[in-house]
């Protein structure tokens, strides 16, 4: 079996007497979607912050492609190939959809933002931006300002920007939040194909989406992983049903 693209080893984070995460070990493999589920207060957000570099663990390690990055900050982890989407939006709201995607390309290439005034005339920037926007389903909204997009379309734009960074792995924090049935269906279709470009660590409360997408599911309860397995294994795990799924199983 190939080495994981992303891995945590016994991550532990305490806030006073509260163990938000305790000995959390998970991994993300090529071409898969690994979902993290659990009730509110289970420690999912704390885990994601530690993986992405926004919060330092008390103990344990984070690895990207076998390299320990525990001491690296968010920007350094992004440079190593970690792409996070659907956190607090950082879109340039008065810029167009295409301009937002081009900014992502400029960042990936390490170019100066002073080049942006002529960027839309440069195929080195525009072509990968257009490809990412098409993959995210926004090829018809290129000239819209980000502020003019619907909530679901902004989510798609965030995804397109992440795609311009050519990540080794995606961290996706509740991509279905706030989407209607149509938006959820479209996002599910996009993510189902996206896993083959870069695997996805998915935090999501929409269990229909989780069951439709996930190759593996890890269940976090009171800061600990109580189960990890396939959709069928998690559905039928008595401890998981009692702690979280209930009728959703």
């Amino acid at each position: 079996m190939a080495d994981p693209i992303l891995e945590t080893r016994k991550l532990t984070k305490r806030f006073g007497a509260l163990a938000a995460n305790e000995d959390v070990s998970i991994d993300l493999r090529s071409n898969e979607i690994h979902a993290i589920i659990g009730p509110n207060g289970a420690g999912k957000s704390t885990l994601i912050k530690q993986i992405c570099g926004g919060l330092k663990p008390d103990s344990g390690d984070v690895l990207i492609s076998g390299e320990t990055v525990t001491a690296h900050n968010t920007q350094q982890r992004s440079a190593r190939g970690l792409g996070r989407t659907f956190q607090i939006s950082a879109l340039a709201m008065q810029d167009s959809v295409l301009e937002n995607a081009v900014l992502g390309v400029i960042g990936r290439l390490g170019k100066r933002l002073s080049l942006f005034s002529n960027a839309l005339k440069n195929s080195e920037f525009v072509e990968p931006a257009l490809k990412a926007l098409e993959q995210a389903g926004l090829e018809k909204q290129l000239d819209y300002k980000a502020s003019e997009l619907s909530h679901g379309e902004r989510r798609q734009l965030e995804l397109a920007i992440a795609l311009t960074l050519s990540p080794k792995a995606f961290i996706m924090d509740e991509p279905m939040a706030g989407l209607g049935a149509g938006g959820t269906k479209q996002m599910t279709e996009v993510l189902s194909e996206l896993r083959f470009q870069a695997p996805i660590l998915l935090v999501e409360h929409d269990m229909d989406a989780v069951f439709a997408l996930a190759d593996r599911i890890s269940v976090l309860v009171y800061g600990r992983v109580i189960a990890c397995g396939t959709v069928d294994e998690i559905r039928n795990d008595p401890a998981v049903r009692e702690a979280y799924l209930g009728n959703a199983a």
Side-chain angles (χ1 to χ4, degrees):
M1 183 180 296
D3 292 336
I5 304 297
L6 176 66
E7 185 178 6
T8 72
R9 294 179 181 174
K10 294 192 173 184
L11 278 189
T12 296
K13 183 66 183 179
R14 294 181 177 274
F15 299 101
L18 174 66
N21 292 141
E22 190 163 2
D23 290 336
V24 176
S25 296
I26 59 172
D27 61 58
L28 180 65
R29 303 167 189 165
S30 295
N31 301 331
E32 81 164 345
I33 296 177
H34 187 158
I36 309 295
I37 66 171
N40 291 334
K44 300 185 297 296
S45 294
T46 300
L47 176 62
I48 294 302
K49 289 177 182 177
Q50 291 176 89
I51 292 172
C52 293
L55 190 62
K56 183 179 179 180
D58 295 328
S59 61
D61 284 301
V62 178
L63 294 88
I64 300 174
S65 296
E67 177 188 1
T68 301
V69 297
T70 314
H72 293 189
N73 62 29
T74 300
Q75 291 74 24
Q76 290 170 322
R77 295 185 199 199
S78 179
R80 296 291 181 186
L82 195 61
R84 185 179 180 186
T85 64
F86 309 121
Q87 68 270 49
I88 296 173
S89 178
L91 299 176
M93 301 303 290
Q94 294 308 307
D95 288 338
S96 72
V97 166
L98 180 57
E99 287 169 336
N100 270 273
V102 165
L103 281 170
V105 176
I106 290 173
R108 175 175 60 83
L109 296 176
K111 303 293 187 179
R112 299 191 308 274
L113 284 178
S114 59
L115 297 171
F116 185 62
S117 59
N118 295 315
L120 296 183
K121 300 177 182 178
N122 189 329
S123 62
E124 180 186 15
F125 304 145
V126 173
E127 288 181 5
L130 288 173
K131 181 179 179 181
L133 289 167
E134 182 179 4
Q135 190 170 355
L138 287 176
E139 65 274 14
K140 296 181 180 179
Q141 290 93 344
L142 300 181
D143 295 326
Y144 286 42
K145 288 185 178 181
S147 60
E148 297 172 335
L149 299 178
S150 68
H151 175 76
E153 289 170 335
R154 290 180 189 177
R155 292 261 158 147
Q156 290 170 265
L157 180 53
E158 291 170 358
L159 175 57
I161 293 170
L163 283 165
T164 68
L165 303 177
S166 299
K168 295 178 181 177
F170 287 104
I171 309 295
M172 296 198 176
D173 193 355
E174 297 191 40
M176 310 302 173
L179 300 183
T184 296
K185 181 178 183 294
Q186 182 176 17
M187 185 64 72
T188 299
E189 291 172 353
V190 171
L191 299 190
S192 183
E193 292 299 321
L194 187 61
R195 79 180 79 192
F196 301 111
Q197 181 168 330
I200 301 169
L201 188 66
L202 174 70
V203 176
E204 183 54 62
H205 285 289
D206 185 330
M207 294 311 303
D208 288 337
V210 168
F211 290 151
L213 285 168
D215 299 288
R216 285 189 296 153
I217 301 173
S218 289
V219 185
L220 201 62
V221 176
Y222 296 124
R224 286 182 169 272
V225 175
I226 65 167
C228 180
T230 65
V231 169
D232 287 342
E233 289 169 341
I234 294 302
R235 280 182 187 270
N236 295 312
D237 188 305
V240 174
R241 293 172 68 96
E242 180 179 355
Y244 182 56
L245 289 181
N247 291 333

